[in-house]
Coordinates of all heavy atoms in Angstrom, one line a residue:
M175 N 33.5 15.7 7.0 CA 33.2 14.5 6.2 C 31.7 14.1 6.3 O 31.1 13.7 5.3 CB 34.0 13.3 6.8 CG 33.9 12.0 6.0 SD 34.5 12.3 4.4 CE 34.4 10.6 3.7
R176 N 31.1 14.3 7.5 CA 29.7 14.0 7.6 C 28.8 14.9 6.8 O 27.8 14.4 6.2 CB 29.3 14.0 9.1 CG 27.9 13.5 9.4 CD 27.7 13.5 10.9 NE 26.4 13.0 11.2 CZ 26.1 12.2 12.1 NH1 27.1 11.8 12.9 NH2 24.9 11.7 12.3
W177 N 29.1 16.1 6.7 CA 28.2 17.0 5.9 C 28.3 16.8 4.4 O 27.4 17.0 3.7 CB 28.6 18.5 6.2 CG 30.0 18.9 6.0 CD1 31.0 18.7 6.8 CD2 30.5 19.5 4.8 NE1 32.2 19.2 6.3 CE2 31.9 19.6 5.0 CE3 30.0 19.9 3.6 CZ2 32.7 20.2 4.1 CZ3 30.8 20.4 2.7 CH2 32.2 20.6 2.9
I178 N 29.4 16.2 3.9 CA 29.5 15.8 2.5 C 28.6 14.7 2.2 O 27.9 14.7 1.2 CB 31.0 15.4 2.2 CG1 31.9 16.6 2.3 CG2 31.1 14.8 0.8 CD1 33.4 16.3 2.1
I179 N 28.5 13.7 3.2 CA 27.6 12.6 3.0 C 26.1 13.1 3.0 O 25.3 12.7 2.2 CB 27.8 11.5 4.1 CG1 29.2 10.9 3.9 CG2 26.7 10.5 4.0 CD1 29.6 10.0 5.0
K180 N 25.8 14.1 3.9 CA 24.5 14.7 3.9 C 24.1 15.4 2.6 O 23.0 15.3 2.2 CB 24.4 15.6 5.1 CG 24.2 14.9 6.4 CD 23.9 15.9 7.5 CE 23.7 15.2 8.8 NZ 22.5 15.6 9.5
I181 N 25.1 16.1 2.1 CA 24.8 16.8 0.8 C 24.6 15.8 -0.3 O 23.7 16.0 -1.2 CB 26.0 17.7 0.5 CG1 26.1 18.9 1.4 CG2 25.9 18.2 -1.0 CD1 27.3 19.7 1.3
I182 N 25.3 14.7 -0.3 CA 25.1 13.6 -1.3 C 23.8 12.9 -1.2 O 23.1 12.6 -2.1 CB 26.3 12.6 -1.3 CG1 27.6 13.3 -1.7 CG2 26.0 11.4 -2.2 CD1 28.8 12.4 -1.5
L183 N 23.4 12.7 0.1 CA 22.1 12.0 0.3 C 20.9 12.8 0.3 O 19.8 12.3 0.2 CB 22.2 11.3 1.7 CG 23.1 10.1 1.8 CD1 23.1 9.6 3.3 CD2 22.8 9.0 0.9
F184 N 21.0 14.2 0.2 CA 19.9 15.1 0.2 C 18.9 14.8 -0.9 O 17.7 14.7 -0.7 CB 20.3 16.5 0.2 CG 19.2 17.5 0.2 CD1 18.3 17.6 1.2 CD2 18.9 18.2 -1.0 CE1 17.2 18.5 1.2 CE2 17.8 19.0 -1.1 CZ 17.0 19.2 0.0
P185 N 19.4 14.7 -2.2 CA 18.5 14.4 -3.3 C 17.7 13.0 -3.1 O 16.5 12.9 -3.5 CB 19.3 14.4 -4.5 CG 20.6 15.0 -4.2 CD 20.8 14.9 -2.7
I186 N 18.4 12.1 -2.6 CA 17.8 10.8 -2.4 C 16.7 10.9 -1.3 O 15.6 10.3 -1.5 CB 18.8 9.7 -2.0 CG1 19.8 9.5 -3.1 CG2 18.2 8.4 -1.6 CD1 21.0 8.7 -2.7
I187 N 17.0 11.6 -0.2 CA 16.0 11.8 0.8 C 14.8 12.6 0.3 O 13.6 12.3 0.6 CB 16.6 12.5 2.0 CG1 17.6 11.5 2.7 CG2 15.5 12.9 3.0 CD1 18.5 12.2 3.7
L188 N 15.0 13.6 -0.5 CA 14.0 14.4 -1.1 C 13.1 13.5 -2.0 O 11.9 13.6 -2.0 CB 14.6 15.5 -1.9 CG 13.6 16.5 -2.5 CD1 12.8 17.2 -1.4 CD2 14.3 17.5 -3.4
L189 N 13.7 12.7 -2.9 CA 12.9 11.8 -3.8 C 12.1 10.8 -3.0 O 11.0 10.5 -3.3 CB 13.9 11.1 -4.7 CG 14.4 11.9 -5.9 CD1 15.4 11.1 -6.7 CD2 13.3 12.4 -6.8
L190 N 12.7 10.3 -1.9 CA 11.9 9.3 -1.1 C 10.7 10.0 -0.4 O 9.7 9.4 -0.3 CB 12.8 8.7 0.0 CG 13.8 7.6 -0.5 CD1 14.7 7.2 0.6 CD2 13.1 6.5 -1.1
S191 N 10.9 11.2 0.0 CA 9.8 12.0 0.6 C 8.7 12.2 -0.3 O 7.5 12.0 0.0 CB 10.3 13.3 1.2 OG 11.2 13.1 2.2
I192 N 9.0 12.6 -1.6 CA 8.0 12.8 -2.6 C 7.3 11.5 -2.9 O 6.1 11.4 -3.1 CB 8.6 13.4 -3.8 CG1 9.1 14.9 -3.5 CG2 7.7 13.4 -5.0 CD1 10.0 15.5 -4.6
L193 N 8.1 10.4 -3.1 CA 7.5 9.1 -3.4 C 6.6 8.6 -2.3 O 5.5 8.1 -2.6 CB 8.7 8.1 -3.5 CG 8.2 6.6 -3.8 CD1 7.6 6.5 -5.2 CD2 9.4 5.7 -3.7
I194 N 6.9 8.8 -1.0 CA 6.1 8.4 0.1 C 4.8 9.2 0.1 O 3.7 8.6 0.3 CB 6.8 8.6 1.4 CG1 7.9 7.6 1.5 CG2 5.9 8.5 2.6 CD1 8.9 7.8 2.7
S195 N 4.8 10.5 -0.1 CA 3.6 11.3 -0.2 C 2.7 10.9 -1.3 O 1.5 10.7 -1.2 CB 4.0 12.8 -0.4 OG 4.7 13.3 0.7
F196 N 3.3 10.6 -2.5 CA 2.5 10.2 -3.7 C 1.9 8.8 -3.4 O 0.7 8.6 -3.7 CB 3.4 10.1 -4.9 CG 2.8 9.6 -6.1 CD1 1.8 10.4 -6.8 CD2 3.1 8.3 -6.6 CE1 1.2 9.9 -7.9 CE2 2.4 7.9 -7.7 CZ 1.5 8.6 -8.4
L197 N 2.7 7.9 -2.8 CA 2.1 6.5 -2.5 C 1.0 6.6 -1.5 O 0.0 5.9 -1.7 CB 3.3 5.6 -2.1 CG 4.3 5.2 -3.1 CD1 5.3 4.3 -2.5 CD2 3.6 4.4 -4.2
K198 N 1.1 7.4 -0.5 CA 0.1 7.5 0.5 C -1.2 8.1 -0.1 O -2.3 7.6 0.2 CB 0.5 8.4 1.7 CG 1.5 7.6 2.6 CD 1.8 8.4 3.8 CE 2.7 7.7 4.7 NZ 3.0 8.4 6.0
F199 N -1.1 9.0 -1.0 CA -2.2 9.6 -1.7 C -2.9 8.5 -2.6 O -4.1 8.3 -2.5 CB -1.9 10.8 -2.5 CG -3.0 11.3 -3.4 CD1 -4.0 12.0 -2.8 CD2 -2.9 11.1 -4.8 CE1 -5.1 12.4 -3.6 CE2 -4.0 11.5 -5.6 CZ -5.0 12.2 -5.0
I200 N -2.1 7.8 -3.3 CA -2.6 6.8 -4.2 C -3.3 5.7 -3.4 O -4.4 5.1 -3.8 CB -1.5 6.2 -5.1 CG1 -1.0 7.3 -6.1 CG2 -2.0 5.0 -5.9 CD1 -2.1 7.7 -7.1
I201 N -2.7 5.3 -2.3 CA -3.3 4.2 -1.4 C -4.6 4.7 -0.9 O -5.6 3.9 -0.8 CB -2.3 3.8 -0.3 CG1 -1.1 3.1 -1.0 CG2 -2.9 3.0 0.7 CD1 0.1 2.9 0.0
S202 N -4.7 5.9 -0.4 CA -6.0 6.4 0.1 C -7.1 6.4 -0.9 O -8.2 6.0 -0.6 CB -5.8 7.7 0.8 OG -5.5 8.7 -0.2
V203 N -6.8 6.9 -2.1 CA -7.8 6.9 -3.2 C -8.2 5.5 -3.6 O -9.4 5.2 -3.8 CB -7.3 7.8 -4.4 CG1 -8.2 7.7 -5.5 CG2 -7.1 9.2 -3.9
S204 N -7.2 4.7 -3.8 CA -7.5 3.3 -4.3 C -8.2 2.5 -3.2 O -9.0 1.6 -3.5 CB -6.2 2.6 -4.7 OG -5.4 2.4 -3.6
G205 N -7.9 2.8 -1.9 CA -8.6 2.1 -0.9 C -10.1 2.4 -0.9 O -10.9 1.4 -0.7
M206 N -10.5 3.6 -1.2 CA -11.9 3.9 -1.3 C -12.6 3.2 -2.5 O -13.6 2.6 -2.3 CB -12.1 5.4 -1.4 CG -11.8 6.2 -0.1 SD -12.2 7.9 -0.2 CE -11.0 8.5 -1.4
I207 N -11.9 3.3 -3.6 CA -12.5 2.6 -4.8 C -12.5 1.1 -4.7 O -13.5 0.5 -5.0 CB -11.6 3.1 -6.0 CG1 -11.8 4.6 -6.3 CG2 -12.0 2.3 -7.3 CD1 -10.8 5.1 -7.3
L208 N -11.4 0.5 -4.1 CA -11.4 -0.9 -4.0 C -12.4 -1.4 -2.9 O -12.9 -2.5 -3.0 CB -10.0 -1.4 -3.7 CG -9.0 -1.3 -4.8 CD1 -7.6 -1.7 -4.4 CD2 -9.4 -2.1 -6.0
G209 N -12.6 -0.6 -1.9 CA -13.6 -0.9 -0.9 C -15.0 -1.1 -1.5 O -15.8 -2.0 -1.2
I210 N -15.4 -0.1 -2.4 CA -16.7 -0.2 -3.1 C -16.7 -1.4 -4.0 O -17.7 -2.2 -4.0 CB -16.9 1.1 -3.8 CG1 -17.1 2.2 -2.9 CG2 -18.2 1.0 -4.7 CD1 -17.1 3.6 -3.5
L211 N -15.6 -1.6 -4.7 CA -15.5 -2.8 -5.6 C -15.6 -4.1 -4.9 O -16.2 -5.1 -5.3 CB -14.3 -2.7 -6.5 CG -14.1 -3.7 -7.6 CD1 -15.2 -3.5 -8.6 CD2 -12.8 -3.5 -8.3
S212 N -15.0 -4.1 -3.7 CA -15.0 -5.3 -2.9 C -16.4 -5.7 -2.4 O -16.8 -6.8 -2.4 CB -14.1 -5.2 -1.7 OG -14.2 -6.2 -0.8
F213 N -17.2 -4.6 -2.1 CA -18.6 -4.8 -1.7 C -19.4 -5.4 -2.8 O -20.2 -6.3 -2.6 CB -19.2 -3.5 -1.2 CG -20.6 -3.6 -0.9 CD1 -21.0 -4.2 0.3 CD2 -21.6 -3.0 -1.7 CE1 -22.4 -4.3 0.6 CE2 -22.9 -3.1 -1.4 CZ -23.3 -3.7 -0.3
L214 N -19.2 -4.9 -4.0 CA -19.9 -5.4 -5.2 C -19.5 -6.9 -5.5 O -20.4 -7.7 -5.8 CB -19.6 -4.6 -6.4 CG -20.2 -3.1 -6.3 CD1 -19.8 -2.3 -7.5 CD2 -21.7 -3.1 -6.2
V215 N -18.3 -7.2 -5.3 CA -17.8 -8.6 -5.5 C -18.5 -9.5 -4.5 O -18.8 -10.7 -4.8 CB -16.3 -8.7 -5.5 CG1 -15.8 -10.2 -5.5 CG2 -15.7 -8.0 -6.7
V216 N -18.6 -9.1 -3.2 CA -19.2 -9.9 -2.2 C -20.7 -10.1 -2.5 O -21.2 -11.2 -2.3 CB -19.1 -9.2 -0.8 CG1 -20.0 -9.8 0.2 CG2 -17.6 -9.3 -0.3
L217 N -21.3 -9.1 -3.0 CA -22.7 -9.3 -3.5 C -22.8 -10.3 -4.6 O -23.7 -11.1 -4.6 CB -23.3 -7.9 -3.9 CG -23.6 -6.9 -2.8 CD1 -24.2 -5.6 -3.5 CD2 -24.6 -7.5 -1.8
G218 N -21.9 -10.3 -5.5 CA -21.8 -11.3 -6.6 C -21.6 -12.7 -6.0 O -22.1 -13.6 -6.5
S219 N -20.7 -12.8 -5.0 CA -20.4 -14.1 -4.5 C -21.7 -14.6 -3.7 O -21.9 -15.8 -3.8 CB -19.2 -14.0 -3.5 OG -19.6 -13.3 -2.3
I220 N -22.4 -13.7 -3.1 CA -23.7 -14.2 -2.4 C -24.6 -14.7 -3.5 O -25.3 -15.7 -3.3 CB -24.2 -13.1 -1.6 CG1 -23.3 -12.8 -0.4 CG2 -25.6 -13.4 -1.1 CD1 -23.7 -11.6 0.4
A221 N -24.7 -14.0 -4.6 CA -25.6 -14.4 -5.7 C -25.1 -15.8 -6.2 O -26.0 -16.7 -6.6 CB -25.6 -13.4 -6.9
A222 N -23.8 -16.1 -6.3 CA -23.3 -17.4 -6.7 C -23.7 -18.4 -5.7 O -24.0 -19.6 -6.1 CB -21.8 -17.3 -6.9
L223 N -23.7 -18.1 -4.4 CA -24.0 -19.0 -3.4 C -25.5 -19.4 -3.5 O -25.9 -20.6 -3.3 CB -23.7 -18.5 -2.0 CG -23.9 -19.4 -0.8 CD1 -23.0 -20.6 -0.9 CD2 -23.7 -18.7 0.5
V224 N -26.3 -18.4 -3.8 CA -27.8 -18.7 -3.9 C -28.0 -19.6 -5.1 O -28.9 -20.5 -5.0 CB -28.5 -17.3 -4.1 CG1 -30.0 -17.6 -4.5 CG2 -28.5 -16.5 -2.8
Q225 N -27.2 -19.5 -6.1 CA -27.4 -20.4 -7.3 C -26.6 -21.7 -7.1 O -26.5 -22.5 -8.0 CB -26.8 -19.7 -8.5 CG -27.7 -18.5 -8.9 CD -27.1 -17.8 -10.2 OE1 -26.1 -18.1 -10.7 NE2 -27.8 -16.8 -10.6
K226 N -26.1 -21.9 -5.9 CA -25.4 -23.2 -5.5 C -24.2 -23.4 -6.4 O -23.8 -24.6 -6.7 CB -26.4 -24.4 -5.6 CG -27.5 -24.3 -4.6 CD -28.4 -25.5 -4.6 CE -29.5 -25.5 -3.7 NZ -29.9 -24.3 -3.0
D227 N -23.4 -22.4 -6.7 CA -22.1 -22.5 -7.4 C -21.0 -22.2 -6.4 O -20.6 -21.0 -6.2 CB -22.1 -21.5 -8.5 CG -20.9 -21.7 -9.4 OD1 -20.2 -22.6 -9.2 OD2 -20.7 -20.8 -10.3
T228 N -20.6 -23.2 -5.6 CA -19.7 -23.0 -4.5 C -18.3 -22.6 -5.0 O -17.6 -21.8 -4.3 CB -19.6 -24.2 -3.6 OG1 -19.2 -25.3 -4.4 CG2 -20.9 -24.5 -3.0
T229 N -17.8 -23.1 -6.1 CA -16.5 -22.7 -6.5 C -16.4 -21.2 -6.9 O -15.4 -20.5 -6.5 CB -16.0 -23.6 -7.7 OG1 -16.9 -23.4 -8.8 CG2 -15.9 -25.0 -7.3
T230 N -17.4 -20.7 -7.6 CA -17.4 -19.3 -7.9 C -17.6 -18.5 -6.6 O -17.0 -17.4 -6.5 CB -18.6 -19.0 -8.9 OG1 -18.4 -19.8 -10.0 CG2 -18.6 -17.5 -9.3
F231 N -18.4 -19.0 -5.7 CA -18.5 -18.3 -4.4 C -17.2 -18.1 -3.6 O -16.9 -17.0 -3.2 CB -19.6 -19.1 -3.5 CG -19.6 -18.6 -2.1 CD1 -20.2 -17.4 -1.8 CD2 -19.1 -19.4 -1.1 CE1 -20.3 -17.0 -0.5 CE2 -19.2 -19.0 0.2 CZ -19.8 -17.8 0.5
I232 N -16.5 -19.2 -3.6 CA -15.2 -19.2 -2.9 C -14.2 -18.3 -3.6 O -13.5 -17.5 -3.0 CB -14.6 -20.6 -2.7 CG1 -15.6 -21.4 -1.7 CG2 -13.2 -20.6 -2.1 CD1 -15.3 -22.8 -1.6
Q233 N -14.1 -18.4 -4.9 CA -13.2 -17.6 -5.7 C -13.5 -16.1 -5.5 O -12.6 -15.3 -5.4 CB -13.3 -18.0 -7.2 CG -12.7 -19.3 -7.4 CD -12.9 -19.8 -8.9 OE1 -13.7 -19.2 -9.6 NE2 -12.3 -20.9 -9.3
A234 N -14.8 -15.8 -5.6 CA -15.2 -14.4 -5.4 C -14.9 -13.8 -4.0 O -14.5 -12.7 -3.9 CB -16.7 -14.2 -5.8
L235 N -15.1 -14.7 -3.0 CA -14.8 -14.2 -1.7 C -13.3 -14.0 -1.5 O -12.8 -13.0 -0.8 CB -15.2 -15.2 -0.6 CG -16.7 -15.2 -0.2 CD1 -17.0 -16.2 0.8 CD2 -17.1 -13.8 0.2
I236 N -12.4 -14.8 -2.1 CA -11.0 -14.6 -2.1 C -10.6 -13.3 -2.8 O -9.8 -12.5 -2.3 CB -10.2 -15.8 -2.6 CG1 -10.4 -17.0 -1.7 CG2 -8.8 -15.5 -2.9 CD1 -9.9 -18.3 -2.3
I237 N -11.2 -13.1 -4.0 CA -10.9 -11.8 -4.7 C -11.4 -10.6 -3.9 O -10.7 -9.6 -3.8 CB -11.6 -11.9 -6.1 CG1 -10.9 -12.9 -7.0 CG2 -11.6 -10.5 -6.8 CD1 -11.5 -13.2 -8.3
A238 N -12.6 -10.7 -3.3 CA -13.1 -9.6 -2.5 C -12.2 -9.3 -1.3 O -12.0 -8.2 -1.0 CB -14.5 -10.0 -2.0
F239 N -11.6 -10.4 -0.7 CA -10.7 -10.1 0.4 C -9.4 -9.4 -0.1 O -8.9 -8.5 0.6 CB -10.3 -11.4 1.1 CG -9.3 -11.2 2.2 CD1 -9.6 -10.6 3.4 CD2 -8.0 -11.6 2.0 CE1 -8.7 -10.4 4.4 CE2 -7.0 -11.4 3.0 CZ -7.4 -10.8 4.2
L240 N -8.9 -9.9 -1.2 CA -7.7 -9.3 -1.7 C -7.8 -7.8 -2.1 O -6.9 -7.0 -1.9 CB -7.2 -10.1 -3.0 CG -6.5 -11.4 -2.6 CD1 -6.1 -12.1 -3.9 CD2 -5.3 -11.2 -1.8
I241 N -9.0 -7.4 -2.6 CA -9.2 -6.0 -3.0 C -9.8 -5.2 -1.9 O -10.0 -4.0 -2.0 CB -10.0 -5.9 -4.3 CG1 -11.4 -6.4 -4.2 CG2 -9.3 -6.5 -5.5 CD1 -12.3 -6.2 -5.4
S242 N -10.1 -5.8 -0.8 CA -10.7 -5.1 0.4 C -9.6 -4.3 1.0 O -8.4 -4.5 0.7 CB -11.3 -6.1 1.4 OG -10.3 -6.7 2.1
P243 N -9.9 -3.4 1.9 CA -8.9 -2.6 2.6 C -7.9 -3.4 3.4 O -6.9 -2.9 3.9 CB -9.7 -1.6 3.5 CG -11.0 -1.5 2.8 CD -11.2 -2.8 2.2
Y244 N -8.2 -4.7 3.7 CA -7.3 -5.6 4.4 C -6.4 -6.4 3.6 O -5.6 -7.2 4.1 CB -8.2 -6.5 5.4 CG -8.9 -5.7 6.4 CD1 -10.3 -5.6 6.2 CD2 -8.3 -5.1 7.4 CE1 -11.1 -4.9 7.1 CE2 -9.0 -4.3 8.3 CZ -10.4 -4.2 8.2 OH -11.1 -3.5 9.1
G245 N -6.6 -6.3 2.3 CA -5.8 -7.1 1.3 C -4.6 -6.3 0.8 O -3.6 -6.0 1.4
L246 N -4.7 -6.0 -0.5 CA -3.6 -5.4 -1.2 C -3.3 -4.0 -0.7 O -2.1 -3.6 -0.6 CB -4.0 -5.3 -2.7 CG -4.0 -6.7 -3.4 CD1 -4.4 -6.5 -4.9 CD2 -2.7 -7.4 -3.3
P247 N -4.3 -3.1 -0.4 CA -4.0 -1.8 0.2 C -3.2 -1.9 1.5 O -2.3 -1.1 1.8 CB -5.3 -1.1 0.4 CG -6.2 -1.7 -0.6 CD -5.8 -3.2 -0.6
K248 N -3.4 -2.9 2.3 CA -2.6 -3.1 3.5 C -1.2 -3.5 3.2 O -0.3 -3.0 3.9 CB -3.3 -4.2 4.4 CG -2.7 -4.3 5.8 CD -2.9 -3.1 6.6 CE -4.4 -3.0 7.1 NZ -4.6 -1.9 8.0
I249 N -1.0 -4.3 2.2 CA 0.4 -4.7 1.8 C 1.1 -3.4 1.2 O 2.3 -3.2 1.5 CB 0.3 -5.8 0.7 CG1 -0.2 -7.1 1.3 CG2 1.7 -6.0 0.1 CD1 -0.5 -8.2 0.4
A250 N 0.4 -2.6 0.5 CA 1.0 -1.3 0.0 C 1.3 -0.4 1.1 O 2.4 0.3 1.1 CB 0.0 -0.7 -1.0
L251 N 0.5 -0.3 2.1 CA 0.9 0.5 3.3 C 2.1 -0.1 4.0 O 2.9 0.7 4.5 CB -0.3 0.6 4.3 CG -1.4 1.6 4.0 CD1 -2.6 1.4 4.9 CD2 -0.9 3.0 4.0
W252 N 2.2 -1.4 4.1 CA 3.4 -2.0 4.7 C 4.6 -1.7 3.9 O 5.7 -1.3 4.5 CB 3.1 -3.5 4.7 CG 4.2 -4.3 5.3 CD1 4.5 -4.4 6.7 CD2 5.1 -5.2 4.7 NE1 5.6 -5.3 6.8 CE2 5.9 -5.8 5.6 CE3 5.2 -5.6 3.3 CZ2 6.9 -6.7 5.3 CZ3 6.1 -6.6 3.0 CH2 7.0 -7.1 4.0
V253 N 4.6 -1.7 2.6 CA 5.8 -1.4 1.8 C 6.1 0.1 1.9 O 7.3 0.4 2.1 CB 5.5 -1.8 0.3 CG1 6.6 -1.2 -0.6 CG2 5.4 -3.3 0.1
T254 N 5.1 0.9 2.0 CA 5.3 2.4 2.1 C 6.0 2.7 3.5 O 6.8 3.5 3.6 CB 4.0 3.1 2.0 OG1 3.4 2.8 0.7 CG2 4.2 4.6 2.1
S255 N 5.5 2.0 4.5 CA 6.1 2.2 5.8 C 7.6 1.8 5.8 O 8.4 2.4 6.5 CB 5.4 1.5 6.9 OG 5.5 0.1 6.8
Y256 N 8.0 0.7 5.1 CA 9.4 0.4 5.0 C 10.2 1.4 4.3 O 11.4 1.7 4.6 CB 9.6 -1.0 4.4 CG 9.5 -2.1 5.4 CD1 8.3 -2.9 5.5 CD2 10.5 -2.3 6.3 CE1 8.2 -3.9 6.5 CE2 10.4 -3.3 7.3 CZ 9.3 -4.1 7.4 OH 9.2 -5.1 8.3
I257 N 9.6 2.0 3.2 CA 10.3 3.1 2.5 C 10.5 4.3 3.4 O 11.5 4.9 3.4 CB 9.5 3.4 1.2 CG1 9.6 2.3 0.2 CG2 10.1 4.7 0.6 CD1 8.7 2.4 -1.0
E258 N 9.4 4.6 4.2 CA 9.5 5.7 5.1 C 10.6 5.4 6.2 O 11.3 6.3 6.6 CB 8.2 5.9 5.8 CG 8.0 7.2 6.5 CD 6.6 7.4 6.9 OE1 5.7 6.5 6.7 OE2 6.3 8.5 7.4
F259 N 10.7 4.2 6.7 CA 11.7 3.8 7.6 C 13.1 4.0 7.0 O 14.0 4.5 7.7 CB 11.5 2.4 8.1 CG 12.6 1.9 9.0 CD1 12.6 2.3 10.3 CD2 13.5 1.0 8.6 CE1 13.6 1.9 11.2 CE2 14.5 0.6 9.5 CZ 14.5 1.0 10.8
A260 N 13.3 3.6 5.8 CA 14.6 3.8 5.1 C 14.9 5.3 5.0 O 16.1 5.7 5.2 CB 14.6 3.1 3.8
R261 N 13.9 6.1 4.7 CA 14.2 7.5 4.6 C 14.6 8.1 5.9 O 15.5 8.9 6.0 CB 12.9 8.2 4.1 CG 13.1 9.7 3.9 CD 11.9 10.5 3.9 NE 11.2 10.3 5.2 CZ 10.0 10.7 5.4 NH1 9.3 11.3 4.5 NH2 9.4 10.4 6.6
D262 N 13.9 7.7 7.0 CA 14.2 8.2 8.3 C 15.6 7.8 8.7 O 16.4 8.5 9.4 CB 13.2 7.7 9.3 CG 11.9 8.4 9.1 OD1 11.8 9.4 8.4 OD2 10.9 7.8 9.6
R263 N 16.0 6.6 8.3 CA 17.4 6.1 8.7 C 18.4 6.9 7.9 O 19.5 7.2 8.4 CB 17.6 4.6 8.3 CG 16.7 3.7 9.2 CD 17.1 3.7 10.6 NE 18.5 3.0 10.7 CZ 19.1 2.8 11.8 NH1 18.5 3.1 12.9 NH2 20.3 2.2 11.7
L264 N 18.1 7.3 6.6 CA 19.1 8.1 5.9 C 19.1 9.5 6.5 O 20.2 10.2 6.4 CB 18.6 8.2 4.4 CG 18.9 6.9 3.6 CD1 18.3 7.1 2.2 CD2 20.4 6.6 3.5
K265 N 18.0 10.0 7.0 CA 18.1 11.4 7.6 C 18.9 11.4 8.9 O 19.5 12.4 9.2 CB 16.6 11.8 8.0 CG 15.8 12.4 6.9 CD 14.5 12.9 7.4 CE 13.7 13.5 6.4 NZ 12.4 14.0 6.9
E266 N 19.0 10.3 9.6 CA 19.8 10.2 10.8 C 21.3 10.3 10.5 O 22.1 10.6 11.5 CB 19.5 8.9 11.6 CG 18.1 8.9 12.2 CD 17.8 7.6 12.9 OE1 18.7 6.8 12.9 OE2 16.7 7.5 13.4
I267 N 21.7 10.0 9.3 CA 23.2 10.0 9.0 C 23.7 11.4 9.1 O 23.1 12.3 8.7 CB 23.4 9.3 7.7 CG1 23.1 7.9 7.7 CG2 24.9 9.6 7.2 CD1 23.2 7.1 6.4

């Protein structure tokens, strides 16, 4: 009975493995690009601060944090790790 369940779950585990590999690649590439973009946004926020535009400064800093490696890419890594955990749990069956 157990081997029948393994045969049924094999395509799902295979798809999850491919999805995890693809997501990790996309996250690493986007992390580099978003890191550079975040740096440019921080420079723009400093320019806004020099011009005494505090609302733009704060908004730009929030946007820079979200696109930095500690913002959205970290959330994507968190989601990917949960998908990887689900795949590992299916492999244990």
Side-chain angles (χ1 to χ4, degrees):
M175 182 68 176
R176 187 176 181 136
W177 58 276
I178 295 174
I179 295 173
K180 284 189 177 227
I181 291 173
I182 293 171
L183 289 178
F184 176 73
I186 297 170
I187 293 171
L188 182 65
L189 286 175
L190 285 176
S191 297
I192 293 170
L193 178 68
I194 290 168
S195 300
F196 178 72
L197 288 176
K198 285 186 178 182
F199 172 73
I200 294 295
I201 289 169
S202 66
V203 171
S204 68
M206 292 185 291
I207 294 170
L208 289 176
I210 294 168
L211 190 61
S212 173
F213 176 71
L214 294 175
V215 172
V216 167
L217 288 179
S219 70
I220 292 172
L223 183 64
V224 168
Q225 293 178 357
K226 296 184 180 13
D227 189 6
T228 55
T229 57
T230 305
F231 169 72
I232 293 171
Q233 290 171 350
L235 278 182
I236 291 171
I237 291 171
F239 175 74
L240 284 177
I241 62 175
S242 74
Y244 298 108
L246 295 177
K248 188 64 77 173
I249 294 170
L251 279 173
W252 181 69
V253 169
T254 304
S255 68
Y256 274 106
I257 294 172
E258 193 170 6
F259 177 74
R261 183 202 58 192
D262 291 341
R263 295 292 291 187
L264 286 176
K265 277 185 177 180
E266 291 177 1
I267 293 177

